[in-house]
Amino acid sequence: MLRYVTVNSQAWKSVFRHTFADTPKNRMLKIVSNVFMHLHPAKVKRHAPQLKFTWCMGGISFFLFLVLTGTGVLLMFYYRPTVHDAYWDIKDLEYQVPFGAILRNLHRWSAHLMVITVWFHMFRVFATGSYKPPREFNWCVGVVLLVLTLLLSFTGYLLTWDQLGFWAVTVGTNMARSTPLLGHEGPFGEQLGMTAHNDIRFALLGGSLVGGNALLRAYVWHCIGLPLIISVFMMVHFWRIRKDGGISGPL
């Protein structure tokens, strides 16, 4: 009786627009009318879930992104992005916070694995010809996601504020000086008025040296900017898979 009243109430119907009847039409409507599920196809081709074809690299990459998001939010409770506190907050997380070492290592190794799985996903797509028409646009979206994943990993390097992170970011941002048009040592940079105090490296670091400004900018990009951008591109990526007819078949 309670179930009947609940299911037939206006509140229930305002959230769940369809009945429980297991019919092809209902299954399709439940997918299409859901804000999250409609990104995926209502029907999946027989070959699509096969591990030997997809390697499940795309799904694993998305799962690792969710793990990184969850662990990253928890890590933010114990971290302060300042020159004086960053390194010692990491040490406190490892030795003082209950299960802190597990939390940090789960975040760290998930980040390493995500870079690997995204590369494998890209290789699988290339090897199976899934970048060909009509999927060339989604291939370009995937390449953007690969670059954003690498940037996400790169910005996380500096947050520990140890020697490895400091010099990795120093070397990486020094290469930005040679960026065409935007770097003062790159092609046409000097002609466009770029100097060591206004080029792309200066913008990334918030100054001429790796210091407090660079740490704060890396923190903002790593925790807010890049995850938001990646989320938008992932939604487009999933949506395009549906619009392009699902996962491409074997060659």
Side-chain angles (χ1 to χ4, degrees):
M1 183 64 182
L2 180 61
R3 178 182 179 276
Y4 177 82
V5 173
T6 303
V7 172
N8 288 280
S9 66
Q10 184 60 36
W12 180 275
K13 291 180 179 180
S14 67
V15 179
F16 304 99
R17 313 289 288 184
H18 309 288
T19 64
F20 291 107
D22 189 12
T23 63
K25 181 180 179 181
N26 249 6
R27 289 197 295 268
M28 186 230 7
L29 289 174
K30 288 178 181 178
I31 296 292
V32 174
S33 62
N34 187 284
V35 67
F36 298 107
M37 297 178 68
H38 90 282
L39 297 172
H40 300 279
K43 294 182 179 180
V44 178
K45 295 180 180 179
R46 189 177 298 274
H47 69 271
Q50 294 180 358
L51 182 62
K52 64 181 181 181
F53 176 69
T54 65
W55 301 350
C56 204
M57 287 295 105
I60 293 175
S61 298
F62 178 61
F63 171 74
L64 290 172
F65 178 77
L66 296 180
V67 172
L68 287 166
T69 302
T71 55
V73 170
L74 295 176
L75 288 172
M76 291 171 69
F77 284 105
Y78 302 100
Y79 180 81
R80 290 167 291 179
T82 65
V83 172
H84 300 291
D85 299 318
Y87 178 79
W88 297 112
D89 284 348
I90 296 296
K91 291 303 176 185
D92 285 342
L93 185 70
E94 290 185 4
Y95 300 109
Q96 301 296 330
V97 177
F99 304 105
I102 295 177
L103 180 63
R104 186 203 172 191
N105 284 315
L106 184 61
H107 189 81
R108 177 185 178 186
W109 286 107
S110 295
H112 293 332
L113 286 174
M114 184 177 173
V115 173
I116 295 172
T117 55
V118 169
W119 275 111
F120 273 117
H121 178 58
M122 186 177 185
F123 175 77
R124 197 280 303 171
V125 171
F126 179 79
T128 56
S130 301
Y131 60 91
K132 297 178 181 179
R135 297 176 173 84
E136 63 271 35
F137 172 74
N138 212 20
W139 167 263
C140 295
V141 174
V143 172
V144 172
L145 283 170
L146 170 64
V147 175
L148 292 173
T149 300
L150 296 176
L151 288 175
L152 198 61
S153 181
F154 180 73
T155 52
Y157 251 110
L158 186 61
L159 300 187
T160 56
W161 201 244
D162 55 7
Q163 288 295 310
L164 176 63
F166 179 88
W167 290 111
V169 172
T170 298
V171 173
T173 53
N174 281 344
M175 291 189 291
R177 296 183 299 188
S178 300
T179 305
L181 305 178
L182 300 178
H184 72 279
E185 294 181 358
F188 306 108
E190 185 178 356
Q191 288 77 2
L192 293 176
M194 293 296 169
T195 67
H197 301 289
N198 66 0
D199 65 351
I200 184 64
R201 180 180 181 275
F202 189 87
L204 291 173
L205 297 179
S208 302
L209 300 173
V210 178
N213 289 339
L215 178 61
L216 180 60
R217 295 194 179 200
Y219 178 76
V220 173
W221 276 114
H222 187 76
C223 298
I224 301 175
L226 289 173
L228 286 176
I229 297 173
I230 288 178
S231 298
V232 172
F233 274 94
M234 279 197 302
M235 287 190 288
V236 175
H237 197 59
F238 299 154
W239 175 74
R240 283 301 305 188
I241 293 175
R242 178 168 75 87
K243 287 297 184 180
D244 292 338
I247 298 175
S248 64
L251 294 173

